[in-house]
Amino acid sequence: QGQLVQSGAAVKEPGASVKVSCKASGYTFTNYFMHWVRQAPGQGLEWMGIINPSGGSTTYAQKFQDRVTMTWDTSTSTVYMELSSLRSEDTAVYYCARASWDLVPLFDYWGQGTLVTVSS
Amino acid sequence: QTVVTQEPSLTVSPGGTVTLTCASTTGEVTSGCYPNWFQQKPGQAPRALIYSTSNKHSWTPARFSGTLLGGKAALTLSGVQPEDEAEYYCLLYYGGAWVFGGGTKLTVL
């Protein structure tokens, strides 16, 4: 079992940064990776990157390479995704998704999503 | 840049069978792309259905199955139920990065 609870909706002005949190419970936090995925209004899913809470290694999608930072806090079993230099196109629901890779990779539990609105 | 393509929309009758596919501009989709499939209903977070081509989660209904078909990943629904009406997304792995397909809107009519 596992549960991911994300922070609440945020409204940001263009050029600002946003930091979304994803608090994990019900499992050993450092045994699983965490992906971040976003979905613009009426659009499909877009993979942003992955963090390994056991050591903190990250891989970011090329599109977000220079604007995204994923971090973690083992003491609170929380991962964070910070996106900087926000523009209107970043308005989207942001999801965290748990994953593992034993013999093969798999995604299982997802957070409820966090709506980030970028508007002046 | 890899682009993953899915049928934009499909329609199926209740009790029928439908196959959704997932193709890549890079070429053949193989088991090394570890295809994952997700279901998303309006206003909800995605739900994982299939991982690594054909493996089901404990909560995945038996009527869902995954395979590789003609160079693509495929998701087949057999005995479709009204509650299967949703958007379906595939996800492929390419050397450290993941790429979602554009999604297929499945209508049960």
Side-chain angles (χ1 to χ4, degrees), chain A:
Chain A
Q1 290 282 5
Q3 187 176 15
L4 305 175
V5 178
Q6 299 183 221
S7 48
V11 179
K12 297 291 182 179
E13 293 192 346
S17 297
V18 67
K19 193 170 186 177
V20 181
S21 68
C22 172
K23 183 173 177 59
S25 62
Y27 69 93
T28 302
F29 178 64
T30 52
N31 284 358
Y32 292 83
F33 303 100
M34 199 72 76
H35 293 261
W36 286 92
V37 174
R38 77 176 187 180
Q39 186 170 38
Q43 303 301 308
L45 302 174
E46 184 174 28
W47 183 78
M48 299 181 70
I50 179 176
I51 183 167
N52 181 358
S54 177
S57 63
T58 55
T59 300
Y60 302 139
Q62 192 170 8
K63 175 178 179 176
F64 302 103
Q65 192 80 36
D66 56 348
R67 291 201 298 139
V68 71
T69 304
M70 296 178 188
T71 55
W72 84 108
D73 182 343
T74 303
S75 68
T76 59
S77 298
T78 302
V79 296
Y80 301 91
M81 186 284 301
E82 184 170 21
L83 189 62
S84 63
S85 303
L86 290 169
R87 34 212 188 228
S88 59
E89 311 90 87
D90 294 317
T91 293
V93 175
Y94 290 77
Y95 294 101
C96 57
R98 193 183 82 162
S100 62
W101 195 320
D102 292 326
L103 296 177
V104 295
L106 70 87
F107 291 66
D108 49 22
Y109 301 117
W110 290 63
Q112 84 276 18
T114 297
L115 175 62
V116 174
T117 303
V118 182
S119 174
S120 55

